[in-house]
Amino acid sequence: MEAARRDPSQFDALYRRYLAQVYSFAYYELGDHHAAEDATERTFLSALANIHRFEERARPADGEGASTFRVWLFRIARNAIANQRRTVRRRPTAPIEAAAIVADPLDVEGDAVRREEGSAAWLAVGRQPTDRRRALILRFVDEMSTAEIAGVMGRSEGAIRVLIHRALRSVGRDLRGRSR
């Protein structure tokens, strides 16, 4: 972190370390690979441009190597995603892929069942209110701790635990209701 602050060419190490996590967060929030790539790019460009503003807030009690950089970076990502959504709402477009949907001739029954179950689960997650959905994605896709999620979302750890608990119960009810 300090090396990147002194020399922007050292930012590459931070980029490599967090690229997959930020992209994954953006993808699950936006649901589109291209939009996620754009949001990820904006996140890292903003982080690089504003690295001088970052203040380390990890305490010695947090353990060796602890850093709040990840939380700071995910806050930037959250804002980039929100900006992307605003842009899409203001200027909607249709993807060109929608014109060429073709069924996979090699799809087997087992694949279809697994895809259907996975799709149903993601749809159930997608039907959650924004904060619940975001908390689930940060926790189970990006594997963040409740403390990190609290930092990204600007909430207390207790509020995050409640959000995740309620979201999981709601997704479970949704899936049980659909299987009957």
Side-chain angles (χ1 to χ4, degrees), residues 23-36 81 85 137:
Y23 171 80
S24 178
F25 174 55
Y27 175 75
Y28 285 106
E29 282 287 317
L30 297 168
D32 176 77
H33 290 289
H34 298 294
I81 290 165
R85 282 191 175 130
I137 290 168

Side-chain angles (χ1 to χ4, degrees), residues 25-172:
F25 174 55
Y27 175 75
Y28 285 106
E29 282 287 317
L30 297 168
D32 176 77
H33 290 289
H34 298 294
E37 287 172 350
D38 291 345
T40 301
E41 177 184 14
R42 285 188 194 95
T43 298
F44 282 102
L45 287 173
S46 180
L48 179 59
N50 294 293
I51 200 160
H52 63 280
R53 291 182 174 174
F54 172 72
E55 291 179 31
E56 182 60 66
R57 295 192 178 142
R59 302 171 308 246
D62 294 335
E64 188 175 328
S67 174
T68 56
F69 178 77
R70 183 179 186 201
V71 171
W72 181 73
L73 186 63
F74 270 77
R75 280 188 174 185
I76 294 171
R78 181 187 68 184
N79 292 336
I81 290 165
N83 289 340
Q84 185 106 0
R85 282 191 175 130
R86 273 191 293 279
T87 300
V88 168
R89 273 195 310 271
R90 290 178 183 152
R91 292 180 229 115
T93 60
I96 193 148
E97 293 85 20
I101 296 175
V102 178
D104 182 4
L106 301 175
D107 194 29
V108 295
E109 184 179 348
D111 254 355
V113 169
R114 282 189 295 282
R115 286 182 186 163
E116 185 177 325
E117 290 171 346
S119 180
W122 277 115
L123 287 171
V125 169
R127 284 189 284 274
Q128 296 299 303
T130 302
D131 285 348
R132 286 184 185 181
R133 184 186 69 250
R134 185 171 289 144
L136 284 177
I137 290 168
L138 290 172
R139 178 68 185 105
F140 296 105
V141 175
D142 294 310
E143 298 179 350
M144 286 189 170
S145 69
T146 53
E148 289 174 314
I149 298 168
V152 169
M153 294 180 67
R155 300 239 182 134
S156 69
E157 284 187 63
I160 296 302
R161 283 191 288 276
V162 168
L163 272 175
I164 291 171
H165 175 75
R166 289 179 178 166
L168 289 173
R169 283 183 41 201
S170 180
V171 167

